[in-house]
């Protein structure tokens, strides 16, 4: 009997592969770990939401949470405990992950019940309110209730603790009865022993890790400002005010959301489709010199900066005498007056899609050509002998081999297009009349032009949540495709 993952010959009665550690026979479900991770993520989000909220619609900004308790450091400890638990689950230390999860629950209870909440008037602290005072419905004639953050945290911690606890029960079950001589060092060795064995690789990686933590993950703590009225040096907590305002009273946000969705989906389809078509055509070219020439022409725009690309197209599409396209069209008698390609709503979207296809198609073509070159020619020869047409060869041979790469490219392009800021801002700045304003440009305008940094953080947090959801869906589908190919 052989291992399905690595093909290693398995000893009799073995329940795990001695080389790769893959379970033999029925695969153990990882659903419990998924439940634990989902619960911890929910608890993480709940730590940002209000624990006590004013029920008066006009006073919705009067809210209290982790971030304005008497000891704000408790919020950092709570978040740290959740992150440590997630890391332990990621490195398969399920037995220890329940400890920081339980600690986060204790921190939540102590903070919610045993500490006072800070009250603010503008940037100045004016009083400390206990939970009993706020919920007594007698404070300043206002009515307070338990906020959604409490319920979200409780649900998340229950799922996290239950998932971790049930998952660690496997350590107390019967041993898998595999002779230790069949187990490789990679399975028996502890994590710290592996790290010490490969210590110099970790030393080499350490500077990169520090840079990533400082410049990629440390700024993510700024997501808490989405729930604050941001004033330099003294932001104060306002709960869900920014989200409520955006969803109910801000038409510009919904315009930016529609523009982002439309531009992103169409750009995704056009760029991916163009890359697939061009790579298939290039793969059929037999003249090597001609093929390399075409590849160079297609790849070259990708290595140009968006600043350079925007400058070139602003010059080419100008309505002035320097605008080569308008001068050419008027010289041919096609138009009488120059077209404002970058300022007219009727023409801007088509211009934007053309520029993006021209610049980004080459990168996807590189990936698809590399994948196509790895497909065995014997498959196509066998299909030709069986009488399969070109369409059938493409559908039954090419598509199954490139679908995983297509999925990966779609994931990457989705992340990029939803963060599409530079080219739109350089070409139009969000105009005309906000017709080209996307969510990144909207967040930029809120943060720097109108100084609403809290609203800007709320927009970027929504964008992050949407991209995470899209990535989870995509990677789930890609994972199923990879299992089908094995």
């Amino acid at each position: 009997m052989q291992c399905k993952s690595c093909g290693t010959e398995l000893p009799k009665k073995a329940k795990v592969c001695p080389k790769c550690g893959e379970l033999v026979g029925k695969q153990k479900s990882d659903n419990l770990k998924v439940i634990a991770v989902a619960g911890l993520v929910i608890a993480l989000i709940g730590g940002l939401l209000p624990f006590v909220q004013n029920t008066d619609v006009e006073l919705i900004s009067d809210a209290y949470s982790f971030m304005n308790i008497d000891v704000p450091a408790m919020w950092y400890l709570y978040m740290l405990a959740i992150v440590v638990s997630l890391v332990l689950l990621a490195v398969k230390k399920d037995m220890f992950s329940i400890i920081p999860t339980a600690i986060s629950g204790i921190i939540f209870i102590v903070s919610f019940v045993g500490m006072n909440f800070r009250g603010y008037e503008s940037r100045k602290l004016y009083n400390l309110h206990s939970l009993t005072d706020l919920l007594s419905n007698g404070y300043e004639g206002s009515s307070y209730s338990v906020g959604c953050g409490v319920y979200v945290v409780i649900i998340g911690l229950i799922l996290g603790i239950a998932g971790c606890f049930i998952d660690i029960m496997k350590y107390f079950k019967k041993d898998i009865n595999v002779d230790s001589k069949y187990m490789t060092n990679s399975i028996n060795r502890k994590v710290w022993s592996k790290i010490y064995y490969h210590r110099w690789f970790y030393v080499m990686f350490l500077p990169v890790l520090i840079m990533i933590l400082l410049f990629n993950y440390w700024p993510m703590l700024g997501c808490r400002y989405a729930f604050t009225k941001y004033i330099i040096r003294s932001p104060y907590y306002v709960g869900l005010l920014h989200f409520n305002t955006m969803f109910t009273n801000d038409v510009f946000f919904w315009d930016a959301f529609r523009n982002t969705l439309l531009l992103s989906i169409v750009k995704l389809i056009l760029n991916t489709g163009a890359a697939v078509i061009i790579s298939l055509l290039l793969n059929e070219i037999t003249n090597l010199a001609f093929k390399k020439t075409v590849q160079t022409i297609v790849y070259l725009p990708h290595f140009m900066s968006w600043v350079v690309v925007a400058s070139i197209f602003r010059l080419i599409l100008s309505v002035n005498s320097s605008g080569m396209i308008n001068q050419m069209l008027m010289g041919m008698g096609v138009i009488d007056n120059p077209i404002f390609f970058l300022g007219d709503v009727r023409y801007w979207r088509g211009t934007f899609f053309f520029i993006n296809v021209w610049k980004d198609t080459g990168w996807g073509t590189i990936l698809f050509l590399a994948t196509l070159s790895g497909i065995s020619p014997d498959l196509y020869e066998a299909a030709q002998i069986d009488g399969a047409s070109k369409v059938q060869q493409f559908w039954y041979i090419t598509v199954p081999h490139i679908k995983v790469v297509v999925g990966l490219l779609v994931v990457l392009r989705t992340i990029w297009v939803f963060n599409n800021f530079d080219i739109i801002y350089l070409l139009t700045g969000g105009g005309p009349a906000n017709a080209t304003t996307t969510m990144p440009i909207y967040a930029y305008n809120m943060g720097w032009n109108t100084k609403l940094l809290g609203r800007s953080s709320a927009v970027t947090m929504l964008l992050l949540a949407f991209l995470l959801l899209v990535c989870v869906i995509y990677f789930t589908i890609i994972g199923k495709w990879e299992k089908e190919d094995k």
Side-chain angles (χ1 to χ4, degrees), residues 54-318:
N54 197 319
T55 55
D56 190 340
V57 177
E58 295 181 358
L59 298 175
I60 190 174
S61 62
D62 198 5
Y64 305 90
S65 184
F66 256 131
M67 285 177 276
N68 59 336
I69 60 174
D70 195 22
V71 185
M74 297 293 281
W75 180 77
Y76 291 97
L77 294 175
Y78 172 83
M79 292 293 182
L80 180 63
I82 296 290
V83 171
V84 169
S85 187
L86 287 169
V87 171
L88 289 173
L89 285 172
V91 299
K92 299 182 179 180
K93 291 295 179 181
D94 310 355
M95 180 175 288
F96 302 103
S97 61
I98 196 171
I99 298 175
T101 305
I103 291 174
S104 65
I106 295 171
I107 294 172
F108 161 69
I109 294 172
V110 171
S111 301
F112 179 55
V113 179
M115 292 188 176
N116 294 326
F117 294 97
R118 294 169 176 259
Y120 288 89
E121 184 175 355
S122 184
R123 68 178 71 183
K124 295 181 180 179
L125 173 68
Y126 68 88
N127 202 353
L128 291 173
H129 314 302
S130 67
L131 178 65
T132 306
D133 291 338
L134 289 173
L135 297 181
S136 64
N137 294 330
Y139 171 69
E140 292 186 357
S142 300
S143 177
Y144 289 87
S145 63
V146 176
C148 60
V150 174
Y151 304 109
V152 173
V153 169
I154 291 174
I155 292 172
L157 290 177
I158 289 174
L159 290 175
I161 292 175
C164 293
F165 180 76
I166 298 172
D167 202 28
I168 65 175
M169 294 302 292
K170 65 187 179 185
Y171 293 103
F172 301 96
K173 293 181 181 179
K174 193 167 105 176
D175 190 50
I176 56 178
N177 293 326
V178 178
D179 195 330
S180 60
K181 68 181 180 181
Y182 294 121
M183 302 291 284
T184 63
N185 289 334
S186 63
I187 296 175
N188 280 331
R189 189 180 297 156
K190 295 181 179 179
V191 173
W192 294 113
S193 300
K194 295 179 184 178
I195 292 176
Y196 180 77
Y197 182 78
H198 299 289
R199 57 190 178 278
W200 296 116
F201 291 102
Y202 285 97
V203 170
M204 293 171 60
F205 172 68
L206 190 60
V208 179
L209 177 63
I210 294 173
M211 294 288 288
I212 291 174
L213 292 176
L214 285 178
F215 294 100
N216 290 82
Y217 287 94
W218 180 261
M220 290 178 68
L221 291 174
C223 66
R224 66 187 186 277
Y225 295 128
F227 304 90
T228 64
K229 177 72 174 178
Y230 188 86
I231 299 174
I232 296 176
R233 295 175 57 188
S234 300
Y236 59 93
Y237 191 76
V238 294
L240 300 174
L241 175 65
H242 298 308
F243 298 94
N244 181 70
T245 304
M246 284 191 303
F247 291 147
T248 58
N249 300 319
D250 193 347
V251 294
F252 297 109
F253 167 76
W254 290 110
D255 289 339
F257 180 78
R258 282 192 293 269
N259 287 336
T260 304
L261 208 59
L262 175 63
L263 295 178
S264 300
I265 292 175
V266 176
K267 179 183 173 182
L268 186 67
I269 294 172
L270 290 178
N271 286 17
T272 306
V276 171
I277 293 171
I278 292 176
S279 60
L280 290 172
L281 294 175
L282 287 173
N283 195 51
E284 296 294 327
I285 296 176
T286 56
N287 189 319
L288 189 59
F290 179 71
K291 183 177 181 179
K292 289 183 176 294
T293 302
V294 175
Q295 285 178 328
T296 303
I297 294 173
V298 173
Y299 298 163
L300 190 60
H302 173 71
F303 299 101
M304 298 174 64
S305 167
W306 274 119
V307 177
V308 176
V309 172
S311 301
I312 292 173
F313 277 94
R314 285 179 67 92
L315 184 65
I316 294 174
L317 301 174
S318 173

Side-chain angles (χ1 to χ4, degrees), residues 395-412:
W395 189 254
Y396 293 106
I397 299 177
T398 306
V399 170
H401 283 83
I402 68 171
K403 64 181 181 181
V404 174
V405 179
V406 171
L408 179 61
L409 187 64
V410 167
V411 172
L412 296 176

Side-chain angles (χ1 to χ4, degrees), residues 16-37:
V16 295
C17 173
K19 182 177 181 181
C20 66
E22 187 77 13
L23 292 174
V24 179
K26 284 188 176 182
Q27 299 288 325
K28 187 181 185 306
S29 175
D30 288 332
N31 289 338
L32 296 175
K33 185 177 290 186
V34 172
I35 292 173
V37 172

